[in-house]
Amino acid sequence: MDKVPMLAEGYESLMTDLKALRDERPTIVDAIEEARAHGDLSENAEYHAAKERQGQVEAMIGDIDSKISRAQIIDPASLSGDRIVFGATVTLLDDADKPIKYQIVGETEADASRGRISFSSPLARALIGKQVDEEIEVTVPSGDRFYLVQKIEFI
């Protein structure tokens, strides 16, 4: 199995989500029991909704359990070097010399609105291994984009 790289806060977030889902289990079981008490299950919408939710919760628990068991927690502060790697915070200059800052994180932690991009995204894949003053080209749906790596930080 492949390791799943993530930051410590991403790991903690997964643990919190897992606890919430596990805490929801008894509520779902109670809802199923209550719906069963209403009689005929073939036309019991409450029963079918509760069973569907139970399936969703169990699938999410399985997915999170898998990610947690394969987690490789990386602390960006412990990294150094002159090349972009997982966990690095990178300042780029776009075509208009406008600075843009991104941190390369795990898939579960990615949030572009907070400047966090997944290591598997096209931009991160183009950045990994690059150094300051190198140009990169990224193909996105709106066309090709060019960036210049201005700064690499490990914070």
Side-chain angles (χ1 to χ4, degrees):
M1 273 194 212
D2 293 334
K3 291 286 186 186
V4 178
M6 63 182 67
L7 303 178
E9 69 183 68
Y11 182 82
E12 291 302 321
S13 175
L14 285 177
M15 293 299 287
T16 301
D17 292 347
L18 183 61
K19 182 183 179 333
L21 289 168
R22 286 185 171 155
D23 289 347
E24 187 179 345
R25 279 176 165 165
T27 306
I28 294 170
V29 170
D30 291 345
I32 290 170
E33 290 302 317
E34 184 179 325
R36 275 192 183 146
H38 293 269
D40 184 14
L41 298 180
S42 65
E43 295 181 19
N44 189 330
E46 292 167 352
Y47 173 79
H48 293 291
K51 288 296 280 183
E52 184 174 332
R53 179 65 185 153
Q54 183 181 40
Q56 291 170 341
V57 166
E58 293 304 322
M60 289 188 290
I61 287 173
D63 182 51
I64 293 172
D65 268 338
S66 172
K67 287 176 183 167
I68 288 172
S69 69
R70 297 180 293 134
Q72 179 181 4
I73 301 169
I74 297 172
D75 178 10
S78 69
L79 303 173
S80 63
D82 61 351
R83 295 197 175 272
I84 299 170
V85 295
F86 180 93
T89 300
V90 184
T91 304
L92 307 172
L93 294 177
D94 65 8
D95 294 336
D97 286 337
K98 177 183 166 201
I100 305 167
K101 196 176 213 176
Y102 291 113
Q103 182 177 27
I104 300 173
V105 298
E107 292 177 355
T108 59
E109 305 163 286
D111 182 357
S113 66
R114 292 181 47 215
R116 304 180 98 191
I117 58 173
S118 167
F119 69 92
S120 62
S121 70
L123 178 57
R125 286 196 318 258
L127 287 169
I128 291 177
K130 299 292 190 250
Q131 295 177 296
V132 172
D133 292 331
E134 282 193 60
E135 284 191 12
I136 62 159
E137 177 182 355
V138 181
T139 302
V140 293
S142 61
D144 291 343
R145 295 282 177 110
F146 297 90
Y147 297 99
L148 176 68
V149 178
Q150 183 182 35
K151 184 167 45 168
I152 302 169
E153 300 173 281
F154 299 98
I155 50 176

